[in-house]
Amino acid sequence: MRSILFTRLAAAAITLPFVLALPAEGGDNWQSTSYAALLVATFFLARFVAEQLAGPPNGKRLITGFALLFLLFALLAFASTDSYRFGHAAADLATLYLVFFLAVIVGQIAPRLARTLLVVLILAQALGAIVQMVHWQSFGFAIEANGYRAILQSDPGEAEDFIGRFVSGYVLAAALLSMAIAGAAGTVVRPAKLSRQSLGWAAAFAFAALGVVSGHLQFAASRAAVFSTALDYAAEISEYRAVREARRMRVGRLDMGQQGPLAGEPLTLVFVVGESLSRNHMSIYGYWRDTNPALEKLSRETVVFTDVVSPHSHTDPSLKLVLTLADHANRMAFGDAENYSLIELLKAAGFTTWWLSNQNVFGPWDNEVAALAQDADHVHYTSRSFGPMVKGKPDEVLLAPLAAALHDPAPRKAIFLHLLGNHWEYAKRYPASASAFQALPSSAEIGALQVRPSLSLINQYDNAVRYNDQLVARVIEALRETRQPAALTMFSDHGEDVWGAKYHYWKQFTHDHVEVPLVLWFSPEYLRLAHGVVERAREHGALPFALEDLPHLVADLAGLRSKALDPELSPISSRYRAPQARWLFDGQFAYEEADEPMLNARRLLRQLAAEHPALARSIWAHRVDTLGKMMEAAQLFPGVEMDVLYDAGDNRLMINHPPQPVSGLTLEAMLAYAQRLNPKLRLWLDVKNFDEANGPHIVAALDHLDRRYALRERALVETDYTGPATALLHRAGYHSSYYLPTGVVTGTAHDAPETSCAGADRITRALLARPFAAVSYDWRGNAWVERCLGAFVREHGLKRYTWDLRTVSSRADAFQAVAAQWRDYSRMAAILLPYKSQFDDLR
């Protein structure tokens, strides 16, 4: 009786994971019947195996451990994915069976070895499953090779820091309980001594298990990822050591010369290598917060490149391209004999080189970078920390070793400063006294994002950006004090998406991941010697540049010449050819082709500019009502629409689209910001509450703003009001438009036939009575307007403005949608298209 109960319990435990998979399978009645049959078959097959093992010594222990482990792995897999399916359960069952089968076969010859092998494989498999569960529960996506590599490089203190920061109490408890169960199962199981008949059945099942695993290779491979990553990691370490040794021997073989006005002159080059710094949080690139006060003061001495893209969103795969001759075109591998590093190129030209780093000595963000650093003549790390958890002090600790390098008597120096920059945790990247931003971003700045609970991270990140700005300025002043020809190059390994909380995980790509700064500073002595280099840099600063071509830029900066260098890849060369496509993530896709809202809108406007230039000037952004959305739209579109509300209490024009709550953003503040971004930006002001009482005040407020922002020259003032006060707009010289009633032009305000022009007479009377310069209306009413008002509009010389909310400019197919109706669009003075921004104000 006990034996029957035992085998049934074991069979039920082995069947239960397939029951867990049922909800994800769904299906119709026939499929439900099939799954039920599979469950029954699984139960009886498991009971048969349990019966075979119940008799031999250690057999019950073996089946008990197997059933317990399979149930554990299934529960962990169920908690590691959003869709646990039959195939997952089958793959786990087959994989575990093969592990036990291997131990049983070995056990027929060497029982102790078999038990050790079984325990090791059980615990290793359990550890992999637990790590997958913890990662999924903590971050919401599956762990990848970089995650395993980070674990392999961690010490106990770093692991404790990671758990305390990211792992919740219940997830930690589940992980510890799972490990305890796996340990208990490992203690219980013993490889059983089986008869020939039982071994025959076991071998037959093993072949079936191999078939199941081969049918679910991707899932099975994810279970073994920790082992494959460990082997890859060991191979990488061996490769890095071999690369270091090879590079010690090859610099002397590189043919390198120096030409031009810098040849033979003393020269100091400093490279500030930033970390996780997005240019979209830098005020020198248009960010509304004052994060670069120091660099803005140095604007006459610097060149800011405005369209630079890094090749990856993680440090190691980015810098192994940025700091070497390898790129996506030549496909050189890191260890190739012809793939010289930038440090090697400079050494071959006679520069004494330094690598001064505030990063960890070795870690998942610093593997190949550590190998590159060893190329330098002098290598200095501010600490000896290892592993993935960054613990460095604020980057000003690099100023002392920098000063020592600058005082070195070598006439030509190249000094690399590898910053912690904006690396997570952001609050630890700057001293507390440097907390310039303390008030959380408001809805006036970021719209609906203002309701997010983690906005303190934005302040921390922006404070780190501002601290970085002050540090770079101090480096520049140290260079200036040398009174020698010198140039500073500041860039970042990659960006960071803080607003969208996607940070720099490349599979959740946004433009913030790879849009990085590139700033050059030249000393007066450098400018005197190489004025042409500086002028070409200024001339080409707005052209696209792939950061992976940095060695070619540096070659022109230092006057280097070699067969290994290509002037056509340097934006400070007269022969520069800007790239048509900048490839990302080991060639996965091109930045210019990425399906991402901002990049889609930019691609739309560029394609229109090439094929329909007049139309490109008429596509404007709809509802730009926050500073964040203005930051994006003003740098993309020739014009923007803003919703304006007159506040009688404060006698001010506010940005607001009822029924959204008032954000506190004034039109004056928005115009001031837009002026900084694009002084030629066209404006569409949709005034929401123009009437007889407000009209004079609104016109007076517009007059006040016009004196500073030239509204009469570039703004359309739109209102749906037709009373006498609207004449004030015309008298004051504003280009005004009558907002045609949407219900009338789209036919939704009446039940008349489609051919009816009901409501047209009222509109023409209003237009005759008031001196509007234009009409504006919903694009859905275009046919009605043409049929019922077209002759009147043309006769009176009225311009037409429209908005088409069906064609979204930030979609990948936007160009096809616009091009399909470009002839009709071309009759419009401007067309508003939706631009979906994370900063939309839809609270």
Side-chain angles (χ1 to χ4, degrees):
M1 185 69 182
R2 288 183 179 179
S3 180
I4 294 174
L5 180 61
F6 166 78
T7 55
R8 288 180 177 177
L9 284 175
I14 293 171
T15 307
L16 185 57
F18 293 93
V19 177
L20 291 175
L22 276 176
E25 297 296 346
D28 53 26
N29 291 334
W30 180 86
Q31 288 176 315
S32 299
T33 303
S34 299
Y35 289 133
L38 279 172
L39 288 176
V40 172
T42 300
F43 176 83
F44 281 104
L45 187 61
R47 195 176 75 172
F48 172 76
V49 173
E51 288 170 350
Q52 294 295 311
L53 291 172
N58 297 325
K60 286 187 177 180
R61 287 190 173 196
L62 191 69
I63 194 64
T64 299
F66 181 90
L68 187 62
L69 285 169
F70 178 49
L71 183 57
L72 173 65
F73 292 160
L75 291 171
L76 290 171
F78 184 77
S80 304
T81 177
D82 53 5
S83 181
Y84 181 68
R85 308 184 74 88
F86 255 67
H88 298 151
D92 262 345
L93 176 64
T95 303
L96 186 63
Y97 180 84
L98 291 172
V99 167
F100 272 67
F101 176 73
L102 175 64
V104 167
I105 295 300
V106 174
Q108 306 309 301
I109 304 168
R112 290 186 178 180
L113 175 62
R115 186 187 176 193
T116 301
L117 177 66
L118 185 59
V119 170
V120 169
L121 290 177
I122 285 173
L123 293 180
Q125 197 171 353
L127 185 60
I130 291 168
V131 168
Q132 289 174 334
M133 180 275 293
V134 170
H135 195 278
W136 181 276
Q137 290 293 322
S138 301
F139 301 105
F141 56 87
I143 188 170
E144 293 188 321
N146 283 340
Y148 286 121
R149 188 173 282 106
I151 294 170
L152 291 168
Q153 294 172 228
S154 298
D155 60 29
E158 290 160 351
E160 182 181 354
D161 189 8
F162 175 88
I163 291 169
R165 188 188 308 169
F166 296 113
V167 181
S168 65
Y170 82 89
V171 171
L172 178 61
L176 293 174
L177 178 61
S178 299
M179 207 62 204
I181 292 172
T187 303
V188 167
V189 294
R190 301 282 193 284
K193 196 81 172 177
L194 301 182
S195 65
R196 287 187 178 181
Q197 181 181 2
S198 296
L199 283 174
W201 279 110
F205 288 142
F207 279 111
L210 283 171
V212 172
V213 170
S214 65
H216 298 86
L217 279 178
Q218 186 173 358
F219 182 79
S222 72
R223 289 303 206 198
V226 65
F227 309 112
S228 61
T229 303
L231 292 174
D232 290 343
Y233 178 55
E236 285 174 14
I237 292 174
S238 177
E239 179 190 0
Y240 301 149
R241 290 173 180 169
V243 167
R244 287 189 182 102
E245 187 60 33
R247 284 182 169 167
R248 289 191 185 99
M249 311 295 294
R250 72 181 186 180
V251 173
R253 300 196 299 266
L254 182 61
D255 179 24
M256 180 68 65
Q258 192 178 29
Q259 300 175 6
L262 296 169
E265 296 286 341
L267 179 62
T268 299
L269 301 177
V270 170
F271 302 91
V272 179
V273 185
E275 168 70 56
S276 305
L277 177 58
S278 168
R279 69 169 182 253
N280 300 317
H281 282 257
M282 300 177 69
S283 55
I284 57 172
Y285 284 94
Y287 189 48
W288 63 88
R289 281 181 155 183
D290 187 18
T291 51
N292 295 118
L295 283 176
E296 286 176 355
K297 289 179 181 177
L298 296 169
S299 60
R300 293 186 178 182
E301 304 175 32
T302 57
V303 176
V304 177
F305 288 82
T306 58
D307 190 3
V308 179
V309 171
S310 65
H312 208 287
S313 62
H314 295 277
T315 300
D316 199 42
S318 176
L319 290 185
K320 77 176 182 181
L321 297 178
V322 173
L323 297 178
T324 71
L325 291 176
D327 58 36
H328 286 99
N330 61 37
R331 307 300 296 174
M332 285 187 191
F334 181 67
D336 284 355
E338 299 303 315
N339 185 22
Y340 289 93
S341 71
L342 177 55
I343 294 176
E344 288 180 292
L345 297 174
L346 291 164
K347 286 173 67 175
F351 283 79
T352 303
T353 55
W354 282 260
W355 183 271
L356 311 177
S357 178
N358 197 28
Q359 295 253 351
N360 286 2
V361 176
F362 195 80
W365 302 280
D366 208 19
N367 289 341
E368 285 146 319
V369 177
L372 291 171
Q374 295 301 317
D375 291 339
D377 299 303
H378 307 279
V379 179
H380 174 82
Y381 286 89
T382 57
S383 73
R384 302 303 297 174
S385 295
F386 286 78
M389 305 309 292
V390 176
K391 301 177 181 179
K393 297 178 181 178
D395 286 320
E396 60 194 83
V397 296
L398 290 171
L399 293 176
L402 170 66
L406 291 176
H407 283 92
D408 189 275
R412 287 189 285 183
K413 297 188 276 283
I415 306 168
F416 291 79
L417 302 178
H418 194 190
L419 308 182
L420 274 179
N422 284 66
H423 197 293
W424 176 268
E425 297 173 81
Y426 312 135
K428 294 182 179 179
R429 304 287 81 85
Y430 56 92
S433 58
S435 298
F437 305 106
Q438 298 185 5
L440 296 181
S442 67
S443 56
E445 298 171 85
I446 60 175
L449 273 181
Q450 195 266 340
V451 303
R452 281 183 47 194
S454 58
L455 288 182
S456 59
L457 287 181
I458 305 300
N459 284 351
Q460 294 168 12
Y461 187 84
D462 288 349
N463 282 327
V465 175
R466 188 177 171 110
Y467 173 74
N468 182 85
D469 174 72
Q470 304 296 320
L471 179 71
V472 172
R474 293 171 70 180
V475 174
I476 288 174
E477 292 311 310
L479 271 177
R480 192 194 309 276
E481 290 174 4
T482 66
R483 300 186 182 277
Q484 295 286 331
L488 175 138
T489 304
M490 186 200 81
F491 62 92
S492 181
D493 54 356
H494 56 78
E496 189 94 337
D497 181 352
V498 194
W499 292 112
K502 295 178 180 177
Y503 307 107
H504 55 264
Y505 179 54
W506 75 274
K507 284 198 172 181
Q508 295 179 314
F509 174 74
T510 73
H511 64 277
D512 283 314
H513 285 163
V514 295
E515 291 181 352
V516 294
L518 175 61
V519 179
L520 303 183
W521 173 86
F522 306 95
S523 72
E525 293 79 13
Y526 184 101
L527 183 61
R528 176 177 52 80
L529 286 172
H531 181 76
V533 172
V534 180
E535 288 306 306
R536 284 194 297 274
R538 295 192 190 284
E539 181 183 347
H540 295 168
L543 294 178
F545 177 60
L547 192 63
E548 67 180 12
D549 292 330
L550 183 72
H552 306 282
L553 179 153
V554 174
D556 277 336
L557 200 63
L560 307 184
R561 294 294 179 265
S562 169
K563 292 181 180 179
L565 300 167
D566 187 352
E568 292 187 353
L569 299 178
S570 166
I572 57 176
S573 165
S574 58
R575 296 168 55 189
Y576 181 56
R577 297 178 62 183
Q580 298 300 307
R582 288 168 286 185
W583 291 92
L584 308 175
F585 312 120
D586 300 320
Q588 293 283 332
F589 58 85
Y591 168 80
E592 285 74 14
E593 299 170 3
D595 183 5
E596 198 266 356
M598 187 169 176
L599 301 182
N600 288 337
R602 180 179 294 154
R603 185 162 55 247
L604 162 68
L605 293 167
R606 287 180 176 173
Q607 289 176 298
L608 286 176
E611 299 187 27
H612 308 292
L615 181 57
R617 294 190 292 271
S618 300
I619 300 294
W620 297 8
H622 177 257
R623 196 173 293 181
V624 179
D625 288 348
T626 65
L627 294 175
K629 190 168 184 178
M630 179 62 79
M631 178 182 69
E632 297 177 346
Q635 299 179 69
L636 293 172
F637 295 88
V640 299
E641 181 234 10
M642 294 176 281
D643 297 295
V644 179
L645 196 70
Y646 175 68
D647 184 340
D650 289 337
N651 190 30
R652 293 190 300 179
L653 294 175
M654 310 298 294
I655 299 294
N656 179 241
H657 187 290
Q660 296 302 320
V662 177
S663 68
L665 178 60
T666 66
L667 177 60
E668 183 165 15
M670 182 69 105
L671 291 174
Y673 183 48
Q675 182 86 356
R676 179 158 70 90
L677 296 170
N678 182 359
K680 297 180 180 180
L681 187 68
R682 303 296 300 277
L683 308 169
W684 178 324
L685 306 179
D686 181 0
V687 182
K688 295 298 185 182
N689 59 344
F690 197 105
D691 58 27
E692 290 303 304
N694 292 338
H697 300 291
I698 291 173
V699 173
L702 290 173
D703 286 342
H704 168 74
L705 296 173
D706 173 70
R707 288 190 284 273
R708 188 169 182 181
Y709 304 108
L711 297 184
R712 288 181 175 89
E713 299 175 12
R714 58 193 181 107
L716 172 75
V717 182
E718 179 190 53
T719 176
D720 61 358
Y721 183 68
T722 59
T726 54
L728 296 173
L729 290 169
H730 175 73
R731 290 194 210 116
Y734 294 103
H735 188 69
S736 60
S737 177
Y738 175 36
Y739 182 137
L740 302 184
T742 298
V744 173
V745 301
T746 60
T748 58
H750 45 72
D751 297 325
E754 289 186 6
T755 56
S756 169
C757 285
D761 288 344
R762 182 168 62 85
I763 291 174
T764 56
R765 286 195 300 271
L767 289 170
L768 287 170
R770 308 298 170 211
F772 287 105
V775 293
S776 44
Y777 54 88
D778 190 315
W779 179 252
R780 292 175 300 166
N782 187 57
W784 187 93
V785 171
E786 183 60 35
R787 184 177 71 251
C788 301
L789 298 176
F792 179 89
V793 167
R794 286 188 288 273
E795 178 184 348
H796 290 81
L798 299 176
K799 291 184 177 181
R800 291 200 278 180
Y801 294 78
T802 190
W803 55 93
D804 186 353
L805 304 186
R806 298 170 301 177
T807 303
V808 180
S809 65
S810 47
R811 285 175 53 95
D813 60 356
F815 176 74
Q816 289 79 6
V818 173
Q821 49 193 359
W822 75 270
R823 292 185 184 278
D824 292 330
Y825 274 176
S826 296
R827 299 186 180 98
M828 303 292 139
I831 306 100
L832 297 179
L833 297 184
Y835 166 65
K836 299 299 184 183
S837 167
Q838 61 186 336
F839 302 116
D840 279 317
D841 194 13
L842 299 173
R843 289 170 287 161

